Amino acid sequence: MNAPDFPDLSRRGFLAGTGALLVSFTVPALAQQAAPAAPAPAPAPAKTSPLPGSLADTPSLDAWIRVDADGSITVFTGKAELGQGTKTSLRQIAAEELEVEPAAIRLITADTALTPNEGYTAGSQTIQNSGTAIRYASAQVRQILVAKASDKLGVPVDQLKAQDGKIVGPNGASVGYGELVAADFLHVDAAADTRLKAPETYHASGKPFARVDIPAKVTGGEAFVQDMRLPGMVHARVVRPPSYSAKLTGFEEAAVKAMPGVVAVVHDGDFLAVVAKQEFQAVKAMRAMAATAKWQEQAALPDQDQIPPFLEKSVAEIGTVTSVGADSAPGAKTLEAQFTRAYQMHGSIGPSSAVAMVDNGLTTVWTHTQGVYPDRKAIAEMLGVLPEKVRCIHTEGSGCYGHNGADDAAADAALIAQALPGTPVRVQWMRDQEHLWEPYGPAMLTKASATLDANGNIVNWHYDLWSNNHGTRPGSAGSLIAGRLMARHFPPDTAKLQISPLGNGDRNAIPLYDVPNQRVNWHFVADMPVRVSALRGLGAYCNVFAIESFMDELALAANADRVEYRLRHLKDPRAKKVIEVAAEKFGWSNDPMPEGRGRGFAFAKYKNHAAYLAIALEADVDRDSGAIVLSHVVCAVDCGEAVAPDSIVSQTEGGILQSLSWTLYEAVHFNDTRILSPDWSAYPILRFSAVPDSVAVHVVDNPGSPYLGVAEAAQGPTAGAIANAFRHATGKRIHDLPYTRERVKAVLGV
């Protein structure tokens, strides 16, 4: 895979040599590699209503849309393709409002030299924020083109329409988009009152389109950063310490440097790497260097079997997530329960990788980070240069969904490349490095208490959670492994309690159910004994698992059907709708089932402001082996207007299977010094043989309604449904994740 226009392409350079522009591009100065500082613009007049999506932060239309004199259209997004179909669905959104086919749209994704700064591609917000921005920007550009055509053709605006890259009027009069743009065209900000197309007129949005990112991935093509091979590129491998606190006390450099193909040994404090002309030469040099390296270690990790009490005694502060109504309420019955989640890893199938090159003082990094701008900031701090001296270009990675090793691999490559200016350096992690050094999903402890009235209705709800911060993404240079290991030693960022509508460890800790008296508290643990950060869904996975498990127990205590019990505690009609669709399509009933087989149900609205999702499933529990086997899974999901229904289905299916793997298999193991899960045998994941016989996803479309993020909606409900199916099948409740065979047999007394 070759980088486009390698090695130097700025947004300004991207425009050079093209035809007339629709608008003059405006990107923050730090996103331009060599642009002079511009004078501060005059304050914009106050807007009567906020701009939608990411337009609120980057209002200039020129940051999102470009039309050339030849009529070609380029769309820019600060979000990245992570396998969720972004490159296809964003084309559909732009094509819909610009009245062209999706294939006519050129899409440029996250690149600090070319695209808006949209932070991280995370939290299922790509369509919700970037898609909304592109939709409104595209609609306004279409309206501007129509107005320009009106002047050119002398035809009233209401007699013109956009069609296939032209503005068409009566009697066959038309003018192409490219004929309407001019160098002196006005620079404009987005207008909050831009009119969008009506859903009944759609030709692209909501229709099935083949994903543009799939062909190379399924044919072994050049699909990922791991596949990049640039002219003159060399290969690097990092020698990692054996544990977090290990200090390098010595190594033998001469023998390694004399090995065939080795071109450099890079040593900076506890950071140690080798570079060779060929990849396997680098691997052999790394192994030789690791064999000679000497490290001083110390025991610094807590007892893995005592994580819940460790979390309870390590609380730094307590934050109130919500407090509604009275602190307590009288009732007929009170139930309590405690749930836990182990540390879990991303387990990216493709170990992290990056390519970096230093040229004329500019460090360019091709990386599968989820945030090119934050990663650039952290790398620049690590290198001691201004941010504009670093360019990060998102390149898809084989393995993603959360803060895995992508940012760290980018930092490794950037640091090593400083020793070899003018030469592209490719860093590839090894499997054990990915498993041992990626940031894990934090362990959690939750406690729930609820009081029921005489009719079984919930009148009081208390929920407490204990957990670390779930987001330690860059951040500063101290959020990067290389930054921590360098002789300069950048310390990790201080962990802070952060309660916001987006949620962190507290994500989905507030149930959507209607309860008059609620208290939800986060007992924040600042000390992170193992490296942690954002794993898909953050706290939502464990919180929804706990809440939905507890809801089943409350339904049983109220002698109520578990689906009906949820419906009676909900006012939101869309929430009710997905529950009803999932139950109907599944064929939910209370009919007796064979011994060892159970039905499970769960529901959540992701983050309480993203997609609604309900799931029903059947599970068989084998007492002798402890195996839980899912046979039949049915899901209903409402993510607002469905831009790409096939992608919604794919994302939801993937989320269900990922949660199935987390729930039944995954837990990081460690002793008092080292992580003990370096490979797939020590960290088992879902195998093809354990995939359910059928997984049916039903999209509940809401044309004309705002986009709602969907990619992470399934994880929590799936875990809750599995837990409830196990309870239904066995009469026993497992309160601790994961539901390993050993844990199942212990609970069943086998």
Side-chain angles (χ1 to χ4, degrees):
M1 178 187 292
N2 292 323
D5 301 301
F6 175 82
D8 183 22
L9 178 64
S10 67
R11 185 158 187 143
R12 177 164 302 195
F14 178 69
L15 306 179
T18 63
L21 305 178
L22 172 64
V23 284
S24 59
F25 283 73
T26 301
V27 171
L30 289 183
Q32 304 178 27
Q33 294 171 6
K47 291 182 171 60
T48 56
S49 59
L51 291 172
S54 294
L55 287 174
D57 296 320
T58 310
S60 300
L61 292 183
D62 47 32
W64 304 95
I65 309 290
R66 161 189 173 173
V67 178
D68 284 325
D70 62 0
S72 60
I73 301 170
T74 304
V75 172
F76 300 87
T77 174
K79 299 297 187 180
E81 173 66 74
L82 308 175
Q84 74 276 50
T86 291
K87 289 182 177 178
T88 304
S89 55
L90 291 181
R91 280 180 167 91
Q92 289 178 247
I93 290 170
E96 186 62 67
E97 295 294 344
L98 288 168
E99 294 291 7
V100 296
E101 291 302 312
I105 301 291
R106 180 189 182 194
L107 182 73
I108 295 181
T109 62
D111 181 337
T112 57
L114 298 175
T115 63
N117 182 355
E118 293 193 81
Y120 299 106
T121 303
S124 301
Q125 296 179 86
T126 293
I127 301 301
Q128 189 172 4
N129 289 339
S130 195
T132 297
I134 289 169
R135 182 183 189 184
Y136 275 81
S138 298
Q140 189 171 345
V141 167
R142 168 172 47 83
Q143 292 165 12
I144 291 171
L145 288 169
V146 170
K148 292 286 289 183
S150 175
D151 293 339
K152 190 176 184 71
L153 297 175
V155 177
V157 167
D158 60 4
Q159 295 182 30
L160 298 172
K161 65 177 181 179
Q163 180 180 315
D164 296 327
K166 298 179 181 179
I167 305 300
V168 180
N171 303 319
S174 68
V175 58
Y177 288 176
E179 299 174 69
L180 296 171
V181 300
D184 61 352
F185 199 79
L186 295 177
H187 166 75
V188 292
D189 277 0
D193 58 352
T194 297
R195 296 182 61 184
L196 304 175
K197 288 182 61 179
E200 60 269 19
T201 67
Y202 288 172
H203 73 280
S205 187
K207 305 299 190 293
F209 284 91
R211 278 178 47 173
V212 299
D213 62 311
I214 293 298
K217 294 175 180 177
V218 299
T219 59
E222 296 176 337
F224 303 115
V225 67
Q226 285 90 345
D227 302 320
M228 285 188 72
R229 297 295 185 271
L230 302 182
M233 188 177 75
V234 294
H235 297 266
R237 286 294 192 277
V238 178
V239 179
R240 289 283 186 234
S243 58
Y244 291 136
S245 58
K247 297 297 180 184
L248 183 63
T249 59
F251 64 95
E252 297 179 13
E253 181 175 355
V256 173
K257 290 186 76 171
M259 293 179 68
V262 173
V263 297
V265 171
V266 178
H267 171 225
D268 188 340
D270 297 316
F271 182 88
L272 188 59
V274 295
V275 187
K277 294 179 180 179
Q278 301 296 326
E279 185 167 17
F280 194 54
Q281 291 173 335
V283 172
K284 290 193 290 185
M286 176 204 68
R287 290 172 176 167
M289 183 67 81
T292 69
K294 295 179 175 57
W295 304 89
Q296 184 178 8
E297 297 182 82
Q298 61 180 356
L301 301 181
D303 186 341
Q304 177 183 314
D305 296 326
Q306 298 298 317
I307 291 300
F310 168 80
L311 294 174
E312 285 190 285
K313 73 180 182 181
S314 303
V315 173
E317 59 180 308
I318 300 175
T320 300
V321 182
T322 192
S323 180
V324 178
D327 185 61
S328 62
K333 185 183 299 184
T334 297
L335 281 74
E336 296 180 345
Q338 174 178 301
F339 303 89
T340 68
R341 168 199 176 181
Y343 289 101
Q344 295 175 314
M345 68 172 64
H346 299 78
S348 298
I349 297 298
S352 297
S353 181
V355 177
M357 179 175 174
V358 179
D359 185 58
N360 294 324
L362 174 70
T363 300
T364 300
V365 186
W366 290 266
T367 166
H368 56 115
T369 178
Q370 288 184 270
V372 289
Y373 279 92
D375 203 20
R376 180 185 71 163
K377 177 178 177 291
I379 290 173
E381 180 185 359
M382 180 188 74
L383 298 178
V385 300
L386 294 174
E388 54 263 37
K389 293 298 183 181
V390 176
R391 177 186 179 190
C392 288
I393 304 170
H394 181 267
T395 309
E396 286 189 70
S398 176
C400 196
Y401 292 122
H403 179 192
N404 62 359
D407 302 88
D408 298 299
D412 292 341
L415 182 57
I416 296 168
Q418 306 306 307
L420 297 160
T423 301
V425 176
R426 177 181 179 271
V427 169
Q428 174 72 60
W429 282 16
M430 305 296 285
R431 168 53 53 197
D432 62 330
Q433 293 174 340
E434 186 75 31
H435 275 220
L436 299 177
W437 282 93
E438 65 139 278
Y440 306 128
M444 294 181 67
L445 164 67
T446 71
K447 296 182 180 182
S449 172
T451 299
L452 309 182
D453 65 15
N455 295 318
N457 297 319
I458 308 170
V459 295
N460 191 61
W461 179 280
H462 281 197
Y463 185 83
D464 293 82
L465 66 106
W466 287 257
S467 185
N468 300 128
N469 189 341
H470 285 239
T472 61
R473 300 178 187 270
S476 73
S479 62
L480 304 170
I481 297 174
R484 297 187 192 185
L485 296 179
M486 293 169 62
R488 184 177 173 184
H489 180 64
F490 294 90
D493 295 335
T494 301
K496 297 179 181 178
L497 175 66
Q498 296 175 320
I499 296 175
S500 73
L502 293 177
N504 188 289
D506 60 312
R507 185 174 289 179
N508 276 101
I510 304 173
L512 197 68
Y513 300 109
D514 181 38
V515 181
N517 307 293
Q518 295 187 41
R519 296 291 182 277
V520 178
N521 297 310
W522 181 0
H523 302 254
F524 180 68
V525 179
D527 178 34
M528 295 172 278
V530 300
R531 190 176 186 225
V532 300
S533 192
L535 179 58
R536 198 178 190 190
L538 281 66
Y541 167 66
C542 182
N543 288 325
V544 174
F545 156 75
I547 290 170
E548 288 300 293
S549 296
F550 198 47
M551 282 296 291
D552 254 36
E553 293 301 315
L554 297 177
L556 291 169
N559 194 30
D561 175 84
R562 293 172 286 163
V563 171
E564 183 276 326
Y565 193 73
R566 286 170 169 81
L567 288 171
R568 80 160 85 157
H569 285 92
L570 284 168
K571 292 181 179 178
D572 188 328
R574 292 171 69 175
K576 290 184 174 183
K577 179 69 172 180
V578 295
I579 289 176
E580 290 165 350
V581 170
E584 177 188 355
K585 298 295 185 181
F586 178 79
W588 183 266
S589 75
N590 289 309
D591 295 342
M593 302 198 78
E595 183 179 357
R597 179 176 297 175
R599 300 183 190 91
F601 196 93
F603 158 81
K605 182 182 183 184
Y606 184 53
K607 295 185 288 190
N608 285 356
H609 59 78
Y612 301 83
L613 188 142
I615 185 170
L617 54 83
E618 285 185 11
D620 288 279
V621 181
D622 188 304
R623 290 180 57 89
D624 294 333
S625 68
I628 299 174
V629 178
L630 272 62
S631 55
H632 178 43
V633 181
V634 174
C635 172
V637 58
D638 171 2
C639 59
E641 182 169 286
V643 175
D646 289 347
S647 288
I648 294 169
V649 171
S650 296
Q651 283 289 286
T652 304
E653 289 174 344
I656 290 168
L657 296 184
Q658 183 179 50
S659 182
L660 170 58
S661 184
W662 287 349
T663 304
L664 299 187
Y665 304 102
E666 298 187 39
V668 174
H669 297 282
F670 51 87
N671 59 21
D672 63 359
T673 305
R674 296 184 177 185
I675 305 297
L676 303 177
S677 300
D679 52 36
W680 298 120
S681 63
Y683 190 86
I685 61 173
L686 180 73
R687 304 283 178 150
F688 282 109
S689 59
V691 172
D693 295 332
S694 68
V695 178
V697 176
H698 300 275
V699 178
V700 180
D701 195 8
N702 276 284
S705 63
Y707 304 138
L708 300 177
V710 71
E712 298 168 291
Q715 279 72 9
T718 300
I722 293 171
N724 293 332
F726 179 86
R727 173 71 166 82
H728 188 232
T730 66
K732 302 286 186 180
R733 170 73 63 186
I734 296 180
H735 295 85
D736 305 301
L737 292 169
Y739 279 29
T740 62
R741 293 190 178 204
E742 294 75 17
R743 185 164 278 158
V744 167
K745 291 194 290 184
V747 168
L748 297 181
V750 177

